[in-house]
Amino acid sequence: MNQPQPSADRFVDSLRTAYLELIESKAVSISVDQGDAVTVVRVEPAVSGAPRLQLQMTGSIGELFLDDLDPFEVDETSPEDVEEFATFTQALVDGQLELVFRKTLHGWRPAAVEWPGGQWSLPGNPGIVGLLFRSRREKVRGYG
């Protein structure tokens, strides 16, 4: 009888697949800490300024942190989330990820990440100030 993979395994497999060449060339390292209730996956770059990635899974729900941004929620039981996660990590590896910033009363704040064929929004409302200004985009530094 086929049993489904335990939580986080599908996401860990996606990370390892996307980062395979970078792991082999030592441009990044991946560590997986599996506890009783939480699995934590960390991707640490060897290149200064390249993004760090951390995935914290509790059951089938996880929080994905890109550097110091607020987390994106991912659900291992959602085929859409699994597909988006795979395309997100591949876009990050390929250097196709962009941060979208919105103007607020306190300056520019990250509002979303975008990549070819996908987008994840960060929590928060742009407010009236954000509606008056165009968003600003910044390419996420690659690992090369």
Side-chain angles (χ1 to χ4, degrees), residues 107-140:
W108 291 93
R109 74 174 276 292
V113 292
E114 292 183 352
W115 63 93
Q119 173 189 5
W120 282 337
S121 297
L122 288 159
N125 185 332
I128 193 77
V129 173
L131 298 174
L132 298 175
F133 292 88
R134 283 190 118 160
S135 62
R136 189 182 85 198
R137 297 177 175 284
E138 188 177 297
K139 196 93 153 154
V140 175

Side-chain angles (χ1 to χ4, degrees), residues 11-21 23 30 90 93:
F11 291 133
V12 171
D13 290 346
S14 289
L15 282 169
R16 284 197 173 123
T17 299
Y19 284 87
L20 182 62
E21 288 181 26
I23 294 167
I30 292 184
Q90 192 59 56
V93 167

Side-chain angles (χ1 to χ4, degrees), residues 22-83:
L22 294 170
I23 294 167
E24 290 173 351
S25 70
K26 306 248 191 275
V28 298
S29 63
I30 292 184
S31 64
V32 180
D33 299 320
Q34 292 186 323
D36 292 338
V38 178
T39 298
V40 178
V41 182
R42 290 180 187 84
V43 177
E44 294 289 338
V47 176
S48 177
R52 295 178 326 276
L53 201 61
Q54 180 171 306
L55 174 65
Q56 295 178 337
M57 294 292 296
T58 305
S60 66
I61 303 297
E63 291 185 317
L64 180 67
F65 296 86
L66 179 65
D67 279 333
D68 297 326
L69 297 179
D70 290 335
F72 302 100
E73 188 173 286
V74 291
D75 182 351
E76 192 254 349
T77 63
S78 164
E80 294 84 17
D81 278 11
V82 172
E83 178 64 27

